[in-house]
Amino acid sequence: MLGRTPTMPAGTPSWVGELRAILALSWPLALGNLAQVAMGTTDVMMMGWLSADTLAAGALGANLYFIAFIFGAGLLNAATPMMARTLGRDHNAVAPVRGIVHLALLSAAVIAVPFWIALWWSEPLLLAMGQNPALAALAGAYVHTMQWALLPAWGFIVLRSFISALEQPVWSLIIGLGAIVFNAAANWCLMLGHCGCHALGISGSGLATSLSSLLMVSSLGIVASVARPFRCFRLFSAGFRVDRARLREFWRLGLPMAATLSFEVTMFNAAVFLMGLIGAASLAVHSIAIQLASLTFMVPLGIGQAATVRVGRALGRRDREAIHRAGWTALGLAIVFMAAMALIMVAAPRLLISAFLNTNEPANAVVVGHAASFLMLAAAFQIADGAQTVGAGILRGLHDTRMPMLFALLGYWAIGLPLSASLAFAVGLGGIGIWIGLATGLAIVAVLMIGRWFCRETLGLLSKGA
């Protein structure tokens, strides 16, 4: 068990020092997350240049892809708390950290194959869900070229976890920013047919995503091999060895993380499919609102990732006060940011929507009106969304993943999604009802996550540093 020391342990900063440390680690992670989402946002915006049906089909296809992506991302992010705790115990633990990277890359390759097979049948899956046949066909063509982005995207996550555990995340940000430019150019050429390329339409956008992911993992792999902070780990020059005991620990920690993220994301994905049952206009509006909400979410996600590292390192050196400061600092920072984002959504919804649609075009009047209403509801759950993701992050730092998984199952699938469907169809609120259910599910999970963090000592969570 962690014990209280009479004086502050070495390496334990003050509250101000912890705030600076969290900010220094989280801003590159948050901007890196924004860079990744910006690629998806670019795809959505450029699909809208083709047609509203293309935009709706892209939303359907992207959500199928994202179900697979987020499961793998959740599993592979188990590498972060494992490396953080290992480095907290011994900052020179080169071989153990390298071994964690290797087993994470191996796990990514193993899970990619079944997901590739499943995604190849995207069109039949969408038809079985009752989606419009024309939209399902377009979405299937999109996924066929985008699904190959899975493995390189997961490889990038593993390498980003490695450099983040070493508190050097700026490299992933630089690469992510470059990928935004590359992805936009690739969409311009492959989707729209510029620079001598044949116009592939929505399939070209999926191919651009795959090429962008390959560029990102290749670039970060080179950095991890040659940059001074990382080259001593010899990630790719040393023998590829996997410790079976550590691999079992990785999956025990990672599977609940994968399930937690999957429960949340599939709730939002199910909301997309429910919107598709209401109509193409509602689906297009939802895709705009969810893209904006996703952009703001990337910042508390980065804060949560930073908190996982800070809490995990403190856990490794059994520093109770550092754990306390890191967790509460991250939670406070996320709540303040999301409150500010909520105010912007309430104050200037049409300005935000204008990035996706011409708000002065009479043909878009209905869509713009619905989008403004959806943004009001998105603003309502901003704080809850930030609190729940940072709550999950600080609990992951304590290697606590099973109960958060059950919280997510309860909040998202037992309460949030059934409430969305009931309000949308039984009560007749349509898309508004779906968003009320989403907000309720997020709020429930946020309360449960923070409550568990508050009771961490009583629950014996600090003993995992031993």
Side-chain angles (χ1 to χ4, degrees):
M1 293 289 291
L2 290 166
R4 185 176 296 277
T5 55
T7 58
M8 186 178 294
T12 302
S14 65
W15 285 99
V16 174
E18 185 60 47
L19 177 61
R20 289 173 178 167
I22 289 284
L23 285 171
L25 183 55
S26 63
W27 76 261
L29 290 170
L31 289 179
N33 292 332
L34 283 167
Q36 287 188 291
V37 172
M39 288 194 291
T41 303
T42 302
D43 292 344
V44 169
M45 293 172 66
M46 297 181 78
M47 285 178 196
W49 297 351
L50 296 177
S51 70
D53 281 350
T54 303
L55 178 62
L60 289 174
N63 276 278
L64 278 181
Y65 170 86
F66 201 59
I67 291 172
F69 170 78
I70 205 66
F71 179 88
L75 173 68
L76 299 171
N77 273 324
T80 301
M82 288 181 67
M83 287 187 283
R85 187 180 65 176
T86 299
L87 291 167
R89 291 171 175 169
D90 178 9
H91 67 276
N92 292 315
V94 170
V97 169
R98 181 173 61 239
I100 294 170
V101 173
H102 287 175
L103 64 88
L105 290 173
L106 174 64
S107 298
V110 168
I111 63 175
V113 175
F115 279 117
W116 279 335
I117 294 172
L119 288 173
W120 191 256
W121 298 95
S122 295
E123 182 180 353
L125 284 173
L126 291 171
L127 290 174
M129 295 175 188
Q131 299 299 316
N132 180 287
L135 295 182
L138 276 173
Y142 178 43
V143 176
H144 280 174
T145 54
M146 182 171 60
Q147 68 182 74
W148 310 113
L150 273 180
L151 185 56
W154 286 339
F156 181 80
I157 286 174
V158 173
L159 295 178
R160 187 182 64 180
S161 295
F162 165 68
I163 67 172
S164 297
L166 293 169
E167 300 189 341
Q168 300 284 338
V170 175
W171 290 102
S172 62
L173 169 61
I174 295 171
I175 291 169
L177 292 175
I180 295 174
V181 178
F182 177 85
N183 183 66
N187 269 293
W188 181 257
C189 295
L190 297 172
M191 183 172 71
L192 301 177
H194 294 282
C195 300
C197 296
H198 180 68
L200 299 176
I202 196 170
S203 296
S205 182
L207 181 57
T209 300
S210 294
L211 293 174
S212 299
S213 294
L214 185 60
L215 174 67
M216 291 172 70
V217 70
S218 301
S219 300
L220 193 54
I222 293 172
V223 168
S225 299
V226 303
R228 181 172 296 177
F230 318 122
R231 63 190 179 199
C232 66
F233 288 87
R234 299 171 60 224
L235 288 185
F236 306 111
S237 59
F240 192 93
R241 301 180 63 182
V242 175
D243 184 303
R244 292 185 179 181
R246 189 173 281 119
L247 181 62
R248 287 192 294 270
E249 179 189 1
F250 177 84
W251 279 79
R252 280 198 304 268
L253 186 64
L255 279 177
M257 291 171 59
T260 299
L261 286 175
S262 296
F263 289 147
E264 179 183 359
V265 169
T266 52
M267 178 184 71
F268 281 96
N269 288 343
V272 171
F273 300 134
L274 291 176
M275 288 288 183
L277 297 177
I278 296 172
S282 292
L283 184 57
V285 169
H286 179 78
S287 68
I288 293 172
I290 206 66
Q291 280 293 326
L292 289 170
S294 296
L295 285 172
T296 61
F297 173 75
M298 290 303 108
V299 174
L301 178 60
I303 295 171
Q305 291 166 336
T308 298
V309 173
R310 297 292 298 171
V311 171
R313 278 183 169 254
L315 182 70
R317 64 179 186 267
R318 306 184 186 186
D319 190 338
R320 181 187 306 245
E321 296 301 326
I323 291 172
H324 176 79
R325 285 182 170 85
W328 287 116
T329 300
L331 274 170
L333 187 61
I335 289 171
V336 169
F337 174 82
M338 292 301 264
M341 294 302 100
L343 288 175
I344 293 173
M345 288 184 178
V346 170
R350 290 182 66 89
L351 177 63
L352 297 174
I353 296 164
S354 65
F356 299 86
L357 290 172
N358 182 354
T359 56
N360 296 318
E361 177 64 42
N364 294 333
V366 174
V367 174
V368 171
H370 283 309
S373 299
F374 285 8
L375 275 184
M376 293 295 179
L377 291 167
F381 72 66
Q382 288 293 293
I383 294 176
D385 203 12
Q388 66 83 21
T389 192
V390 174
I394 56 183
L395 290 174
R396 282 197 297 270
L398 297 178
H399 285 222
D400 180 40
T401 59
R402 292 185 181 179
M403 282 305 297
M405 174 187 68
L406 296 179
F407 294 160
L409 178 61
L410 172 67
Y412 301 141
W413 278 89
I415 298 175
L417 191 60
L419 182 61
S420 289
S422 298
L423 293 175
F425 299 105
V427 179
L429 294 180
I432 298 289
I434 290 175
W435 276 75
I436 292 173
L438 298 179
T440 302
L442 287 169
I444 289 170
V445 175
V447 170
L448 292 173
M449 293 285 194
I450 295 175
R452 186 163 177 82
W453 164 256
F454 188 80
C455 299
R456 63 192 179 279
E457 293 196 49
T458 305
L459 295 170
L461 301 182
L462 302 186
S463 64
K464 294 182 181 180

mmCIF file of all heavy atoms in Angstrom, residues 75 78 82 85 244-258 399-402 405:
data_model
loop_
_atom_site.group_PDB
_atom_site.id
_atom_site.type_symbol
_atom_site.label_atom_id
_atom_site.label_comp_id
_atom_site.label_asym_id
_atom_site.label_seq_id
_atom_site.Cartn_x
_atom_site.Cartn_y
_atom_site.Cartn_z
ATOM 1 N N LEU A 75 -7.767 -0.830 -26.574
ATOM 2 C CA LEU A 75 -6.884 -1.928 -26.178
ATOM 3 C C LEU A 75 -5.432 -1.476 -26.157
ATOM 4 O O LEU A 75 -4.705 -1.711 -25.178
ATOM 5 C CB LEU A 75 -7.060 -3.094 -27.148
ATOM 6 C CG LEU A 75 -6.080 -4.260 -26.975
ATOM 7 C CD1 LEU A 75 -6.351 -4.991 -25.665
ATOM 8 C CD2 LEU A 75 -6.167 -5.221 -28.150
ATOM 9 N N ALA A 78 -3.626 0.663 -23.427
ATOM 10 C CA ALA A 78 -3.158 0.037 -22.182
ATOM 11 C C ALA A 78 -1.649 0.160 -22.053
ATOM 12 O O ALA A 78 -1.099 0.079 -20.939
ATOM 13 C CB ALA A 78 -3.574 -1.435 -22.146
ATOM 14 N N MET A 82 0.900 1.180 -18.446
ATOM 15 C CA MET A 82 1.926 0.180 -18.145
ATOM 16 C C MET A 82 3.323 0.781 -18.228
ATOM 17 O O MET A 82 4.164 0.568 -17.348
ATOM 18 C CB MET A 82 1.798 -1.004 -19.104
ATOM 19 C CG MET A 82 0.586 -1.893 -18.840
ATOM 20 S SD MET A 82 0.499 -3.300 -19.979
ATOM 21 C CE MET A 82 1.934 -4.262 -19.478
ATOM 22 N N ARG A 85 3.814 3.469 -15.288
ATOM 23 C CA ARG A 85 4.125 2.877 -13.986
ATOM 24 C C ARG A 85 5.533 2.286 -13.978
ATOM 25 O O ARG A 85 6.271 2.413 -12.991
ATOM 26 C CB ARG A 85 3.103 1.793 -13.640
ATOM 27 C CG ARG A 85 3.270 1.241 -12.223
ATOM 28 C CD ARG A 85 2.250 0.179 -11.885
ATOM 29 N NE ARG A 85 2.423 -1.017 -12.717
ATOM 30 C CZ ARG A 85 1.700 -2.124 -12.554
ATOM 31 N NH1 ARG A 85 0.755 -2.189 -11.631
ATOM 32 N NH2 ARG A 85 1.909 -3.168 -13.337
ATOM 33 N N ARG A 244 5.208 -13.224 -22.066
ATOM 34 C CA ARG A 244 3.835 -13.728 -22.008
ATOM 35 C C ARG A 244 3.080 -13.210 -20.792
ATOM 36 O O ARG A 244 1.882 -12.902 -20.875
ATOM 37 C CB ARG A 244 3.833 -15.254 -22.014
ATOM 38 C CG ARG A 244 4.294 -15.855 -23.345
ATOM 39 C CD ARG A 244 4.151 -17.357 -23.351
ATOM 40 N NE ARG A 244 4.565 -17.925 -24.644
ATOM 41 C CZ ARG A 244 4.525 -19.223 -24.928
ATOM 42 N NH1 ARG A 244 4.091 -20.090 -24.000
ATOM 43 N NH2 ARG A 244 4.917 -19.659 -26.114
ATOM 44 N N ALA A 245 3.766 -13.116 -19.655
ATOM 45 C CA ALA A 245 3.099 -12.611 -18.445
ATOM 46 C C ALA A 245 2.687 -11.150 -18.642
ATOM 47 O O ALA A 245 1.571 -10.750 -18.273
ATOM 48 C CB ALA A 245 4.022 -12.745 -17.241
ATOM 49 N N ARG A 246 3.576 -10.369 -19.230
ATOM 50 C CA ARG A 246 3.250 -8.964 -19.473
ATOM 51 C C ARG A 246 2.166 -8.837 -20.552
ATOM 52 O O ARG A 246 1.327 -7.933 -20.504
ATOM 53 C CB ARG A 246 4.509 -8.195 -19.876
ATOM 54 C CG ARG A 246 4.301 -6.682 -19.937
ATOM 55 C CD ARG A 246 5.588 -5.928 -20.175
ATOM 56 N NE ARG A 246 6.367 -5.810 -18.950
ATOM 57 C CZ ARG A 246 7.588 -6.294 -18.784
ATOM 58 N NH1 ARG A 246 8.191 -6.952 -19.757
ATOM 59 N NH2 ARG A 246 8.243 -6.130 -17.661
ATOM 60 N N LEU A 247 2.166 -9.753 -21.517
ATOM 61 C CA LEU A 247 1.123 -9.744 -22.543
ATOM 62 C C LEU A 247 -0.242 -10.014 -21.918
ATOM 63 O O LEU A 247 -1.231 -9.363 -22.276
ATOM 64 C CB LEU A 247 1.424 -10.795 -23.608
ATOM 65 C CG LEU A 247 0.423 -10.901 -24.768
ATOM 66 C CD1 LEU A 247 0.372 -9.595 -25.553
ATOM 67 C CD2 LEU A 247 0.775 -12.073 -25.686
ATOM 68 N N ARG A 248 -0.314 -10.934 -20.961
ATOM 69 C CA ARG A 248 -1.583 -11.202 -20.274
ATOM 70 C C ARG A 248 -2.031 -9.983 -19.479
ATOM 71 O O ARG A 248 -3.217 -9.637 -19.462
ATOM 72 C CB ARG A 248 -1.444 -12.419 -19.361
ATOM 73 C CG ARG A 248 -1.376 -13.754 -20.097
ATOM 74 C CD ARG A 248 -1.539 -14.924 -19.144
ATOM 75 N NE ARG A 248 -0.426 -15.025 -18.210
ATOM 76 C CZ ARG A 248 0.670 -15.732 -18.434
ATOM 77 N NH1 ARG A 248 0.817 -16.400 -19.578
ATOM 78 N NH2 ARG A 248 1.643 -15.780 -17.538
ATOM 79 N N GLU A 249 -1.078 -9.315 -18.831
ATOM 80 C CA GLU A 249 -1.412 -8.103 -18.089
ATOM 81 C C GLU A 249 -1.926 -7.020 -19.038
ATOM 82 O O GLU A 249 -2.892 -6.313 -18.716
ATOM 83 C CB GLU A 249 -0.188 -7.589 -17.335
ATOM 84 C CG GLU A 249 -0.455 -6.309 -16.544
ATOM 85 C CD GLU A 249 0.810 -5.687 -15.972
ATOM 86 O OE1 GLU A 249 1.910 -6.228 -16.199
ATOM 87 O OE2 GLU A 249 0.686 -4.640 -15.301
ATOM 88 N N PHE A 250 -1.296 -6.921 -20.195
ATOM 89 C CA PHE A 250 -1.704 -5.930 -21.194
ATOM 90 C C PHE A 250 -3.159 -6.147 -21.617
ATOM 91 O O PHE A 250 -3.956 -5.204 -21.655
ATOM 92 C CB PHE A 250 -0.770 -6.035 -22.403
ATOM 93 C CG PHE A 250 -1.119 -5.125 -23.544
ATOM 94 C CD1 PHE A 250 -0.687 -3.810 -23.562
ATOM 95 C CD2 PHE A 250 -1.880 -5.587 -24.615
ATOM 96 C CE1 PHE A 250 -0.998 -2.964 -24.619
ATOM 97 C CE2 PHE A 250 -2.199 -4.745 -25.679
ATOM 98 C CZ PHE A 250 -1.761 -3.433 -25.673
ATOM 99 N N TRP A 251 -3.524 -7.378 -21.901
ATOM 100 C CA TRP A 251 -4.889 -7.661 -22.325
ATOM 101 C C TRP A 251 -5.883 -7.542 -21.175
ATOM 102 O O TRP A 251 -7.022 -7.112 -21.381
ATOM 103 C CB TRP A 251 -4.957 -9.060 -22.959
ATOM 104 C CG TRP A 251 -4.492 -9.029 -24.388
ATOM 105 C CD1 TRP A 251 -3.196 -8.998 -24.824
ATOM 106 C CD2 TRP A 251 -5.304 -8.991 -25.561
ATOM 107 N NE1 TRP A 251 -3.145 -8.952 -26.206
ATOM 108 C CE2 TRP A 251 -4.430 -8.955 -26.680
ATOM 109 C CE3 TRP A 251 -6.667 -9.002 -25.789
ATOM 110 C CZ2 TRP A 251 -4.901 -8.918 -27.988
ATOM 111 C CZ3 TRP A 251 -7.143 -8.971 -27.098
ATOM 112 C CH2 TRP A 251 -6.264 -8.927 -28.174
ATOM 113 N N ARG A 252 -5.464 -7.908 -19.957
ATOM 114 C CA ARG A 252 -6.360 -7.729 -18.800
ATOM 115 C C ARG A 252 -6.671 -6.258 -18.577
ATOM 116 O O ARG A 252 -7.788 -5.890 -18.211
ATOM 117 C CB ARG A 252 -5.719 -8.314 -17.527
ATOM 118 C CG ARG A 252 -5.826 -9.820 -17.385
ATOM 119 C CD ARG A 252 -5.575 -10.256 -15.940
ATOM 120 N NE ARG A 252 -4.284 -9.789 -15.448
ATOM 121 C CZ ARG A 252 -3.157 -10.488 -15.529
ATOM 122 N NH1 ARG A 252 -3.155 -11.689 -16.108
ATOM 123 N NH2 ARG A 252 -2.031 -10.016 -15.039
ATOM 124 N N LEU A 253 -5.675 -5.420 -18.796
ATOM 125 C CA LEU A 253 -5.873 -3.984 -18.632
ATOM 126 C C LEU A 253 -6.565 -3.377 -19.849
ATOM 127 O O LEU A 253 -7.435 -2.515 -19.715
ATOM 128 C CB LEU A 253 -4.513 -3.308 -18.412
ATOM 129 C CG LEU A 253 -4.488 -1.812 -18.085
ATOM 130 C CD1 LEU A 253 -5.165 -1.549 -16.752
ATOM 131 C CD2 LEU A 253 -3.038 -1.307 -18.061
ATOM 132 N N GLY A 254 -6.190 -3.837 -21.041
ATOM 133 C CA GLY A 254 -6.651 -3.200 -22.262
ATOM 134 C C GLY A 254 -8.056 -3.573 -22.706
ATOM 135 O O GLY A 254 -8.774 -2.723 -23.249
ATOM 136 N N LEU A 255 -8.475 -4.805 -22.485
ATOM 137 C CA LEU A 255 -9.809 -5.196 -22.935
ATOM 138 C C LEU A 255 -10.920 -4.377 -22.278
ATOM 139 O O LEU A 255 -11.846 -3.921 -22.972
ATOM 140 C CB LEU A 255 -10.030 -6.692 -22.713
ATOM 141 C CG LEU A 255 -9.437 -7.617 -23.783
ATOM 142 C CD1 LEU A 255 -9.656 -9.079 -23.403
ATOM 143 C CD2 LEU A 255 -10.027 -7.326 -25.158
ATOM 144 N N PRO A 256 -10.875 -4.154 -20.949
ATOM 145 C CA PRO A 256 -11.896 -3.259 -20.380
ATOM 146 C C PRO A 256 -11.814 -1.838 -20.918
ATOM 147 O O PRO A 256 -12.840 -1.171 -21.079
ATOM 148 C CB PRO A 256 -11.597 -3.302 -18.869
ATOM 149 C CG PRO A 256 -10.867 -4.581 -18.654
ATOM 150 C CD PRO A 256 -10.059 -4.779 -19.895
ATOM 151 N N MET A 257 -10.598 -1.354 -21.205
ATOM 152 C CA MET A 257 -10.460 -0.029 -21.794
ATOM 153 C C MET A 257 -11.094 0.007 -23.185
ATOM 154 O O MET A 257 -11.789 0.958 -23.544
ATOM 155 C CB MET A 257 -8.976 0.359 -21.878
ATOM 156 C CG MET A 257 -8.323 0.604 -20.530
ATOM 157 S SD MET A 257 -6.518 0.798 -20.638
ATOM 158 C CE MET A 257 -6.375 2.207 -21.730
ATOM 159 N N ALA A 258 -10.859 -1.051 -23.959
ATOM 160 C CA ALA A 258 -11.456 -1.134 -25.285
ATOM 161 C C ALA A 258 -12.975 -1.162 -25.187
ATOM 162 O O ALA A 258 -13.677 -0.494 -25.966
ATOM 163 C CB ALA A 258 -10.949 -2.383 -26.011
ATOM 164 N N HIS A 399 -4.445 1.905 -13.030
ATOM 165 C CA HIS A 399 -4.679 0.558 -13.567
ATOM 166 C C HIS A 399 -6.059 0.039 -13.171
ATOM 167 O O HIS A 399 -6.265 -1.156 -12.982
ATOM 168 C CB HIS A 399 -3.579 -0.404 -13.108
ATOM 169 C CG HIS A 399 -2.281 -0.202 -13.824
ATOM 170 N ND1 HIS A 399 -1.499 -1.243 -14.276
ATOM 171 C CD2 HIS A 399 -1.613 0.928 -14.182
ATOM 172 C CE1 HIS A 399 -0.425 -0.764 -14.876
ATOM 173 N NE2 HIS A 399 -0.469 0.557 -14.818
ATOM 174 N N ASP A 400 -7.026 0.943 -13.091
ATOM 175 C CA ASP A 400 -8.400 0.595 -12.734
ATOM 176 C C ASP A 400 -9.253 0.730 -13.988
ATOM 177 O O ASP A 400 -9.585 1.848 -14.404
ATOM 178 C CB ASP A 400 -8.910 1.518 -11.620
ATOM 179 C CG ASP A 400 -10.337 1.196 -11.213
ATOM 180 O OD1 ASP A 400 -10.673 0.001 -11.138
ATOM 181 O OD2 ASP A 400 -11.105 2.137 -10.976
ATOM 182 N N THR A 401 -9.612 -0.381 -14.604
ATOM 183 C CA THR A 401 -10.332 -0.322 -15.878
ATOM 184 C C THR A 401 -11.627 -1.127 -15.882
ATOM 185 O O THR A 401 -12.480 -0.894 -16.742
ATOM 186 C CB THR A 401 -9.439 -0.833 -17.029
ATOM 187 O OG1 THR A 401 -9.043 -2.194 -16.767
ATOM 188 C CG2 THR A 401 -8.194 0.039 -17.172
ATOM 189 N N ARG A 402 -11.803 -2.062 -14.973
ATOM 190 C CA ARG A 402 -12.985 -2.932 -15.047
ATOM 191 C C ARG A 402 -14.263 -2.217 -14.616
ATOM 192 O O ARG A 402 -15.284 -2.299 -15.303
ATOM 193 C CB ARG A 402 -12.765 -4.189 -14.201
ATOM 194 C CG ARG A 402 -11.692 -5.112 -14.778
ATOM 195 C CD ARG A 402 -11.565 -6.404 -14.002
ATOM 196 N NE ARG A 402 -10.506 -7.247 -14.563
ATOM 197 C CZ ARG A 402 -10.146 -8.423 -14.082
ATOM 198 N NH1 ARG A 402 -10.776 -8.909 -13.013
ATOM 199 N NH2 ARG A 402 -9.179 -9.115 -14.646
ATOM 200 N N MET A 405 -15.487 0.274 -17.074
ATOM 201 C CA MET A 405 -16.161 -0.406 -18.174
ATOM 202 C C MET A 405 -17.635 -0.641 -17.842
ATOM 203 O O MET A 405 -18.528 -0.409 -18.679
ATOM 204 C CB MET A 405 -15.481 -1.740 -18.459
ATOM 205 C CG MET A 405 -16.188 -2.605 -19.498
ATOM 206 S SD MET A 405 -15.458 -4.256 -19.669
ATOM 207 C CE MET A 405 -15.880 -4.976 -18.067
#
